[in-house]
Structures are given as structure tokens and as C-alpha cells.
Amino acid sequence: MTHYFFSSGNRFCTAGGMMKSLTVSLVTAAPVLIWATASLAASSIEEEDLAQIYGSEEMVSIATGTRQPVSKAPAVASVVTAADIKAMGATDIDEVLETVPGLHVARSNSGYNPIYTFRGIHSAFNPQVLVLVNGIPISNSFAGDRGQIWGGMPIQSIARIEVVRGPGSAVYGADAFAGVINIITKTKQDIEGTEVGGRVGSFDTYEGWALHGGEWAGFDVAASVEYHTSAGQKSIIEYDLQTQLDQALGTHASLAPGPVNLSRDNLDARLDLSRDHWRFRGGLQHRSNFGNGAGVAQALDSTNRYGSDRWNADLTYQNAEFADNWEVTGQLSYLNTSQIVERNLTLFPPGARLPIGANGQIDFANPVGLVAFPNGYIGNPENWERHARGNLSAIYNGFENHILRFGAGINYDSIYKVKVSQNFGVDPATGTPIPFMPGVPLIDVSGTSSTFLPTKDRKDFFFFVQDQWKFAKDWALTGGVRYDRYSDFGETVNPRAALVWETRYDLTTKFMYGSAFRAPNFAELYATNNPAQLGNSGLKPETMDTIELAFDYRPHDKLRLGLNVFNYWWKDIIRYVPDTRAPSSTAQNTGTQTGYGGELEAEWKALDNLKLAGSYSYQKSTDNAAQQDAGYAPHHQVYLRTIWEFVPDWQFTPQAKWIIGRERAAGDNRPAIDDYTWVDLTLRRKNIHDHFEVAFSVRNLFDVDAREPSLAGNPTAAIPNDLPLAGRSFYGEIRVNF
């Protein structure tokens, strides 16, 4: 959540020989089972039913940039609709994404921000997933994620979420690495009228929203406003980094045992205007009173509050009949983000006694003395970013059996303002140590050598070409390549290829290869005055190559089975390597990781009023340098959901997930992270007097002590018992449509 990074620990567990044997059996036997079931079902499905089967299938555009049925798209893709989101009783997008096969949402100590972990590709500092809103990246240049003051994303204005597991750089460029998530917001057609609603729940949580879809002056209009305030869950951190310092130095400054700091005040507003071939979208995501979780330095901080404003606007021209056989799309977009400190970021609490080096900053390796900080060790980093993007693409279908798509564009990213005030280090104006006594104001070191990051910008010029070639009956080959040239680290080329075989009318087989890259973020490249982690302007991008085999079987419109297996090779991983004779670490391209696994999923409408869905995911990832498990990501994930309309207009939705087998990474000697089973229930009453709807949800029904891994440390983790998730919680909601 800020530029100060301090390492710490984790815990893991294995599932045992029986689970491993079961996994191998499922992954190897599932293709045979799908083929056998298809053969048995063939006699009961007539050709005239095919139109109905395909007509009921979800469409996806994230795989190629053109709309296709999920089963035919050259990728392993999932679609979560607004109806799915409502049925599961989700209150935030992370609760939705946790239901996607192969995707686990871990947590960072800093603000409990989500770590989207696809297929065992886990990184606490460097997000490996590209998140889009309406096809436009919302990445932050400083840390490469969605913004350090993320604060979640509400779900009322979401029409659908498309997720691709696997590489996407041939289509989307940087950071489409382990996966791509595209959040598509509601248009006038999705709302059609006005909806208002509210929700109250545990942890002093209150939410309200209003959506409207209609027409105005010849424009289709969709508008939404969503407000959320919460004190946040108060799970206890038993032991933190300051606890260790207290034990070593004889002080009593730590706030542990104490609760995590997860307060939130969020306001999200969106506007969508469209007419003929034009569409304008604008939005604001305002965050304030944002608590920093378990502490940015892994020492509890009950004082700090952050704020952020994210303004976005985009203008799109799309004409499917621009000329004979031509479809043309042009787009301009702008995003402005900020990270603002509302209340002091207290890295270590009042009364802390810390080893200080010659530069006036913490130095555990070569301290010149121990200094007491009666107000705490305070550093307030703030930054402002802007992102401007423009692109033009075209689809040409004038060649028989070919659909060509090509385009080019430019992205401009800039950290245009950086501000820092602190009570440690050296005052650049006087060359003397900054005073840290009570009543002495913080020193503003903005624009000096003491600033954690200089203002920087980056330009990316790119072009791509893609061909979807139906070269024989039931066979299609998609091939593509994208070239990116960055102004700071150079060029990269990322190809892809996918062979899609309509093996039977109800079975599709896919063979896929793709490469991807993650661009170094500005902190990794340019951080120059960080107490713990320094940048390296010589970094190369991380790269990954992935191969996949997937099956999609739909014997009729009430049943779908899917299976995929994958193997990936991750190279030039950016990690912070300890510096010789210094307390800091510097970003380096070091290490490789390989992994393999599979995902089995099913959806079955067992009765007209009963729908079942579930998935099983397995992955095994290896840190090749250490020759051991890469750590922290679950080897096994199981998810089950039932949607049961037990009487008309009454819907009951129980869901459960099992997180199993999280080992520790190299150098982290703590015991395994405990497995957990998480159960949610939602009861919904619809169509009350034709306009009203009410729902009641319980999350973590059995109040399990579920935890996500904290950072490793040397020699011990700063938060050894990991990051506790929320206990049992309750939510009630009401919505009105008119």
C-alpha cells in the first residue's frame, strides 16, 4: 500500500498421499470420462437441438477481442453474470472471483489488498494478473497493481465478469501474465428502469446504491452510485514485527495482540452514454478512511488512514459495418489516480526503539545507535498518476474462412507528483538528522534526494495482428502476435496459437500455446530512498510460456463439463535480493518457476428450480533454484454451489470452498498454513409486490479460523501466525425496482 516494504512470513500444509493419488486419477481419467459420457449421450440428442444448446451458451470477448461462445473461444475462460453474483450474495468482487476455478484470492498485510493467484502463480509484491474495466487496464504504475488504496470494488453496477486463466499478452500486452479479468459494467439494456437498495451487516457495515437505465436526448443512459462504509473486521494479530523488537530491546511498544485496521469509506459512481456507433464512459472511485490492515511494515498501526481518488473516462467508436467486410474500433481513455495520507502512516508505534544507520533510517545490519521514537516512526508517502491510452483496431472478414484482426496504439503512464513527509532520515535542507521529538512537525522532503521515488513517465507503442482461420470442417486455428516497445526497458514480442477442434457437436477440444510478460513497475525500476527495497533501472520484464489442453462437453443445455490441463514456465522473476553490507534489498531478475495442473468444472440444471455448480483445481509449482514447492498457493481448491428455488420467488443458495495444501516458500521454515473450509448461505425473496426484493446472508457460517499467508522473514516472520480472515458475519439487504 506504500513504498515501505518489510519482509515477513507464512505457513503451509500438504493434502497427503490419498489426495495426491485422487488428483492424478481425476486429471488422467477425466478426458476418458467426458468422451465416454458423450458417446452414451449421442443417441438422445438430435441435431435440431443444437441451436437451442448454442443459444443458451454464454458469450465471451476477452479471449480474442471478438465475441464467441465460451466453448469455442481459444482460451480457458469463465463468465460470471450479474444473476450469479446476486444469487451467491456477494458484497465485493473478491467474493465473486474466489468462485472461479484455479483462482484463489490471498491477502496482503498492507490494507488486506487482494492477491489474485492463478494456478499457483503467487507474488505478494508483484501482481501477475491484468484487471480491466470494460476492456481498459486499471493498473497502477507505482506498484503494478490496481492501486495501493484499492478498497475493493462493489458489485451492483457489474453486468458480467469475464476471466481468462492463462496468458493474454498477445491481445492485451503487459501484465496479462497468469490471467486476465475483465469487469463489464451495466448499460441501459442491463438496467432498464431504476433500482435503489441498501445493505447492513457485521463490522458496522452500511451500503446503499442507486442505478438507472433509460434514454435522454437520443442517448442510451446508464448511471450508478454506490456507497460503502465499514469499520472492518477486527481479527486479532497475536504477534508482529514490533513484538520481536520489543523482545530484543526490552521495550513495550507493540500494539499486538491487537486488531487489524480495515476501516473503509468508499464511493463509486459511473456514467455510460451511447448513441449510434459512439459510447462514452466516465467514473469516480473515491476511497477515504482506508485502514492499512496488519501494518505496512508488519507492525500494527491503528492511526494511519489513506485516501484515493480514481477518475476515469473513455470514448469508443465502434462500427461493425464501416465498409464492406470491415469492422473498425477506435478508443481513447484516461485514468488519474492518487494515494493520499489522511492520517500519519506510523510504520512503528509510539515508544518504539529502533536501530538507526548513518542515513538516519532503520538499519538492522549496521546501526550506529538505538533511537527511541516517542511519536512512532512516521513516513507519509503520497503520489499521483495519470494514464492516457489510444488505440485503433480493425476486423476484416473478406477472405474466405479467415477473420483478421489487427491494430496499433500508444499508452502513456506517468507518476507526475510525489510528496513525502517524515520524522526520520536526514533533512536535505540542513544536512542534519530530522528531529523526532513530540511537538516537532514532520519534515517535507518532497523533491529532494530523500524522496522515495522520482517523478517518471513511460511510453509504450504497440501493434498486433491475429488470424482466426477455419481451415477445415470442425477445425479452427487462431494465431496472433503482439509487439510492444517501451521507452524505459525496451521491446518484447508475444505470440499465441490455439487449435480448436469441434470433436463432436457436443464436445470441443482445444490445444493452446501463449507467451506473456510483466513489465517492471516504477518502484522496481526507480525507488531510490526506500528503507528496505531499492529499484534497479536495468531490469528486464518477467516472461512466461504456457501450454494448455482443454475439453468442453455440453450434452444438452442443462449440463456442461469442462476440463483443462496446463504447464507453464516462468522466467526472469523480479525479486528483491539482499544487498551486501547494507540493510536494503535491490530488485533483480533472478529465479525461475515451473508449474502444472488441471481444473475440472461442472454446471448442471438438475431441475427447473435447482442448479448445481462446482469445480476442482489442482496445481503443483516449483521454485527451480530451491528445488522445492514455490509456496503459499493452494495445491487443491474445491468449490460447490447450489441455487434452489424451493418455492416460487424464494431462492436459497449455499456455497462452500475448500482451500487445501499451502506449503511455504524457500527460506520460510514455519509449519504449513492450515487448510480451511468456508461456507456461505444466502436466502433471497424476489418479486414482493412486483417491485421489492430482500435477502439475508451468512458468510463463514461455521466461524472457522481461516488465514492467508503473511510474508516470510529472516530469520523469522514478522507476523508468524499469518493473516486472519473475518469470522462469521451477517448481511441483510433490500432493493426496489421501478
Side-chain angles (χ1 to χ4, degrees):
M1 178 170 56
T2 122
H3 69 285
Y4 300 113
F5 300 102
F6 294 80
S7 296
S8 186
N10 280 228
R11 228 175 40 193
F12 76 76
C13 80
T14 59
M18 183 177 295
M19 180 62 81
K20 293 179 181 177
S21 299
L22 177 61
T23 300
V24 173
S25 300
L26 279 172
V27 171
T28 55
V32 178
L33 293 173
I34 290 177
W35 277 74
T37 309
S39 299
L40 291 171
S43 61
S44 63
I45 304 295
E46 303 296 332
E47 290 295 325
E48 54 263 32
D49 295 326
L50 296 182
Q52 181 180 357
I53 293 173
Y54 296 141
S56 64
E57 185 176 346
E58 289 291 342
M59 305 293 284
V60 64
S61 60
I62 190 176
T64 62
T66 58
R67 285 174 58 81
Q68 297 172 282
V70 171
S71 63
K72 306 300 185 290
V76 178
S78 300
V79 176
V80 185
T81 66
D84 296 327
I85 295 171
K86 182 188 288 188
M88 69 180 70
T91 62
D92 183 83
I93 193 171
D94 293 343
E95 296 169 354
V96 180
L97 294 176
E98 185 68 22
T99 70
V100 174
L103 170 55
H104 176 57
V105 182
R107 293 290 163 184
S108 164
N109 62 284
S110 185
Y112 266 44
N113 284 329
I115 301 172
Y116 298 142
T117 304
F118 280 87
R119 295 175 167 179
I121 301 168
H122 175 99
S123 177
F125 291 126
N126 313 316
Q128 309 296 333
V129 177
L130 180 64
V131 179
L132 313 168
V133 175
N134 298 314
I136 299 172
I138 57 172
S139 301
N140 172 289
S141 294
F142 172 65
D145 53 12
R146 295 152 302 284
Q148 296 176 298
I149 318 303
W150 172 236
M153 183 172 183
I155 45 80
Q156 303 303 329
S157 63
I158 296 176
R160 54 197 278 116
I161 303 171
E162 299 178 352
V163 180
V164 164
R165 288 158 271 162
S169 288
V171 179
Y172 295 103
D175 306 331
F177 200 69
V180 182
I181 300 167
N182 188 24
I183 303 160
I184 301 171
T185 57
K186 290 179 178 177
T187 64
K188 173 240 181 186
Q189 289 73 23
D190 297 309
I191 302 172
E192 288 292 2
T194 302
E195 175 185 307
V196 295
R199 180 186 291 118
V200 297
S202 300
F203 319 124
D204 293 326
T205 300
Y206 301 90
E207 299 179 1
W209 64 86
L211 294 83
H212 176 75
E215 295 183 5
W216 172 78
F219 288 89
D220 286 348
V221 179
S224 66
V225 178
E226 301 177 71
Y227 176 73
H228 166 95
T229 183
S230 177
Q233 60 113 334
K234 298 296 183 182
S235 295
I236 299 299
I237 299 292
E238 298 91 352
Y239 186 105
D240 66 1
L241 180 56
Q242 183 60 48
T243 307
Q244 295 183 34
L245 294 173
D246 286 347
Q247 292 175 348
L249 302 174
T251 53
H252 302 280
S254 177
L255 302 180
V260 291
N261 179 3
L262 291 174
S263 61
R264 301 283 190 273
D265 289 332
N266 298 348
L267 176 66
D268 290 70
R270 298 187 182 276
L271 176 67
D272 184 303
L273 300 173
S274 64
R275 183 174 181 175
D276 298 329
H277 303 300
W278 294 90
R279 182 179 298 277
F280 170 82
R281 294 187 179 99
L284 166 65
Q285 293 77 54
H286 172 75
R287 304 290 181 261
S288 67
N289 194 35
F290 182 94
N292 64 20
V296 172
Q298 300 183 87
L300 289 176
D301 176 6
S302 60
T303 301
N304 174 235
R305 297 294 189 274
Y306 271 103
S308 173
D309 285 319
R310 299 193 291 272
W311 295 91
N312 68 279
D314 59 86
L315 180 65
T316 303
Y317 173 84
Q318 184 172 26
N319 190 343
E321 299 177 346
F322 183 80
D324 288 346
N325 302 315
W326 286 93
E327 176 179 337
V328 172
T329 301
Q331 187 175 75
L332 298 173
S333 68
Y334 178 79
L335 172 67
N336 191 292
T337 73
S338 62
Q339 171 184 301
I340 300 169
V341 177
E342 296 178 339
R343 290 166 56 183
N344 284 339
L345 171 58
T346 309
L347 296 163
F348 293 93
R353 195 164 176 240
L354 302 171
I356 298 299
N359 62 355
Q361 298 186 7
I362 290 178
D363 188 339
F364 291 102
N366 301 293
V368 296
L370 294 173
V371 178
F373 287 82
N375 291 344
Y377 190 81
I378 299 171
N380 294 331
E382 301 177 302
N383 63 72
W384 289 258
E385 300 187 15
R386 61 170 66 100
H387 306 265
R389 304 174 187 273
N391 62 79
L392 180 66
S393 64
I395 296 173
Y396 180 72
N397 55 23
F399 297 128
E400 186 176 3
N401 298 323
H402 288 267
I403 300 176
L404 294 174
R405 181 173 183 261
F406 48 89
I410 181 172
N411 300 327
Y412 174 77
D413 304 313
S414 170
I415 295 182
Y416 65 91
K417 182 180 179 182
V418 177
K419 185 178 179 181
V420 189
S421 59
Q422 58 194 45
N423 71 344
F424 58 84
V426 175
D427 187 340
T430 64
T432 60
I434 292 175
F436 46 81
M437 300 307 294
V440 177
L442 301 180
I443 299 298
D444 187 341
V445 299
S446 305
T448 73
S449 60
S450 296
T451 304
F452 69 96
L453 187 75
T455 56
K456 286 287 184 179
D457 63 17
R458 158 190 285 172
K459 292 174 282 293
D460 169 29
F461 300 90
F462 66 89
F463 67 83
F464 63 87
V465 61
Q466 174 184 276
D467 183 20
Q468 295 173 258
W469 177 27
K470 195 170 181 62
F471 63 90
K473 183 181 179 181
D474 302 326
W475 289 87
L477 176 64
T478 298
V481 64
R482 172 164 164 154
Y483 170 85
D484 287 80
R485 182 168 185 80
Y486 281 79
S487 58
D488 47 7
F489 66 81
E491 60 187 23
T492 178
V493 178
N494 291 272
R496 69 176 298 198
L499 185 62
V500 178
W501 176 28
E502 295 183 39
T503 318
R504 300 165 42 92
Y505 64 83
D506 54 7
L507 176 65
T508 303
T509 305
K510 308 176 187 181
F511 309 88
M512 293 164 287
Y513 161 79
S515 69
F517 75 101
R518 184 185 75 82
N521 60 53
F522 283 15
E524 292 167 332
L525 287 169
Y526 305 122
T528 56
N529 193 48
N530 190 300
Q533 295 180 345
L534 300 177
N536 175 4
S537 60
L539 290 175
K540 300 182 294 184
E542 298 181 349
T543 62
M544 182 178 292
D545 294 286
T546 303
I547 57 174
E548 300 170 280
L549 171 63
F551 303 91
D552 190 293
Y553 173 50
R554 300 170 187 258
H556 50 76
D557 64 346
K558 298 182 185 299
L559 176 65
R560 172 188 175 266
L561 297 174
L563 170 75
N564 74 83
V565 292
F566 61 86
N567 205 325
Y568 70 82
W569 296 264
W570 180 8
K571 295 171 287 187
D572 290 323
I573 300 173
I574 298 174
R575 293 172 174 156
Y576 286 93
V577 178
D579 297 318
T580 304
R581 296 179 177 275
S584 58
S585 297
T586 297
Q588 305 284 356
N589 289 107
T590 178
T592 62
Q593 180 174 313
T594 56
Y596 63 87
E599 294 137 7
L600 180 64
E601 54 190 302
E603 295 180 7
W604 179 32
K605 191 172 183 180
L607 301 169
D608 288 342
N609 64 343
L610 181 65
K611 182 179 179 181
L612 307 175
S615 65
Y616 166 72
S617 305
Y618 169 77
Q619 65 81 25
K620 175 65 176 176
S621 298
T622 301
D623 181 331
N624 294 324
Q627 285 298 298
Q628 70 175 65
D629 193 272
Y632 306 143
H635 288 306
H636 309 274
Q637 293 174 252
V638 181
Y639 173 73
L640 295 174
R641 180 175 75 232
T642 299
I643 302 176
W644 179 29
E645 193 164 319
F646 55 95
V647 294
D649 296 328
W650 283 88
Q651 186 182 79
F652 179 58
T653 306
Q655 63 178 11
K657 63 180 178 183
W658 289 261
I659 303 300
I660 303 168
R662 291 171 293 172
E663 301 186 26
R664 300 288 185 181
D668 190 342
N669 298 319
R670 288 176 291 170
I673 306 161
D674 290 338
D675 304 337
Y676 66 83
T677 301
W678 187 287
V679 178
D680 301 327
L681 302 177
T682 299
L683 178 65
R684 186 172 298 275
R685 171 69 162 96
K686 301 181 289 185
N687 296 324
I688 302 173
H689 302 299
D690 296 326
H691 296 288
F692 292 86
E693 186 173 306
V694 296
F696 178 76
S697 297
V698 184
R699 311 203 78 79
N700 192 4
L701 175 67
F702 299 111
D703 199 26
V704 299
D705 182 13
R707 295 180 181 243
E708 291 298 328
S710 60
L711 297 172
N714 185 18
T716 59
I719 302 177
N721 296 328
D722 296 308
L723 304 175
L725 302 183
R728 184 188 297 116
S729 57
F730 303 90
Y731 297 91
E733 74 173 55
I734 183 170
R735 64 181 75 209
V736 185
N737 295 280
F738 50 88

